[in-house]
Amino acid sequence: MDMYAITTEHPLLGILRNVPLEKTIDYADAAVRGGVAFFEVALNSPHALEQIAMLRKHFGDRCLVGGGTAITTERCRTAVDAGAQFLLTPGTPVDVLEYCAKNDIALLPGVLTPTDVAVSLEYGFKTMKLFPAGSMPMSYLKDLKGPFDDTHYMAIGGVNPQNIRQFFDAGYLSVGLASSLMPKDAVAANDWETCEAYVRDLVSRIGRN
């Protein structure tokens, strides 16, 4: 299932990578209060499956929760079993693309090159995650969309408060942030009000509701 509608509706993806299990709900709650209702839990983090289940139970239909770094079909299966509503990959493993297409699983395949884009399109995925987006010039997306004009992209990797607006100006539908989503010192201190305000500022920089 292509994720165009979802990424259009949710311009900011909050990525939970190595967030301590005991902070999971407080961390996500702060993000939700700040204006984010779209989460990825990195599947190579400790307790990832438990965190997906926790977030789904806590938020119900109020948020979308997915599994990232889904680089094998086994990871895909266990993430979906835990409650993941969509998946993301850092690349284009054909077995994962085929598995998700066959089972109608929403997927953002990770792409960087024209070859990656072509492979994703072969399996019906027109909306993709460009990674690492921050390592490429802002003009790269326009060049990529030249031959692939019916494709859409989320930017992940290198997005921060200072450049977040530039990605949207360059044509990205949405962005994902992990370590830049909240200040590390505030998270360590359980200062969730500061974290909420930080996320709200990020959302305001996007300039979309």
Side-chain angles (χ1 to χ4, degrees):
M1 185 174 69
D2 189 75
M3 290 187 63
Y4 175 78
I6 291 172
T7 52
T8 300
E9 182 181 356
H10 299 282
L12 180 55
L13 173 74
I15 302 170
L16 281 70
R17 182 179 296 279
N18 298 323
V19 173
L21 183 64
E22 67 274 11
K23 293 180 185 281
T24 303
I25 298 302
D26 287 334
Y27 189 96
D29 270 334
V32 170
R33 293 194 303 271
V36 173
F38 188 33
F39 295 101
E40 166 194 342
V41 178
L43 295 173
N44 59 343
S45 298
H47 313 296
L49 299 178
E50 188 173 353
Q51 287 178 311
I52 290 172
M54 288 171 64
L55 293 172
R56 287 301 315 280
K57 181 178 179 180
H58 180 74
F59 289 114
D61 294 333
R62 291 186 292 141
C63 294
L64 289 172
V65 180
T69 323
I71 59 175
T72 66
T73 56
E74 177 63 15
R75 278 192 182 179
C76 294
R77 185 188 63 77
T78 56
V80 171
D81 286 348
Q85 295 162 287
F86 61 94
L87 300 172
L88 305 92
T89 66
T92 53
V94 171
D95 58 339
V96 169
L97 294 172
E98 184 176 20
Y99 179 85
C100 291
K102 181 179 179 180
N103 292 282
D104 198 26
I105 297 170
L107 173 71
L108 276 170
V111 302
L112 185 63
T113 69
T115 299
D116 296 332
V117 174
V119 170
S120 296
L121 288 172
E122 184 179 347
Y123 289 91
F125 298 104
K126 295 183 178 181
T127 305
M128 310 167 204
K129 155 191 159 181
L130 202 147
F131 172 81
S135 298
M136 309 303 291
M138 286 294 172
S139 60
Y140 182 69
L141 184 65
K142 182 180 178 181
D143 294 337
L144 194 61
K145 284 174 69 71
F148 300 110
D149 53 309
D150 194 26
T151 58
H152 313 280
Y153 300 87
M154 168 188 285
I156 292 184
V159 184
N160 59 53
Q162 288 69 46
N163 65 18
I164 189 170
R165 181 64 230 176
Q166 296 176 38
F167 287 95
F168 290 93
D169 292 341
Y172 289 90
L173 285 181
S174 60
V175 298
L177 289 89
S179 59
S180 297
L181 183 65
M182 296 182 189
K184 292 184 179 66
D185 54 348
V187 173
N190 296 321
D191 183 356
W192 304 117
E193 289 186 2
T194 294
C195 291
E196 174 188 343
Y198 190 90
V199 174
R200 186 177 295 110
D201 178 66
L202 280 173
V203 173
S204 71
R205 290 171 186 254
I206 294 172
R208 288 168 53 187
N209 294 326

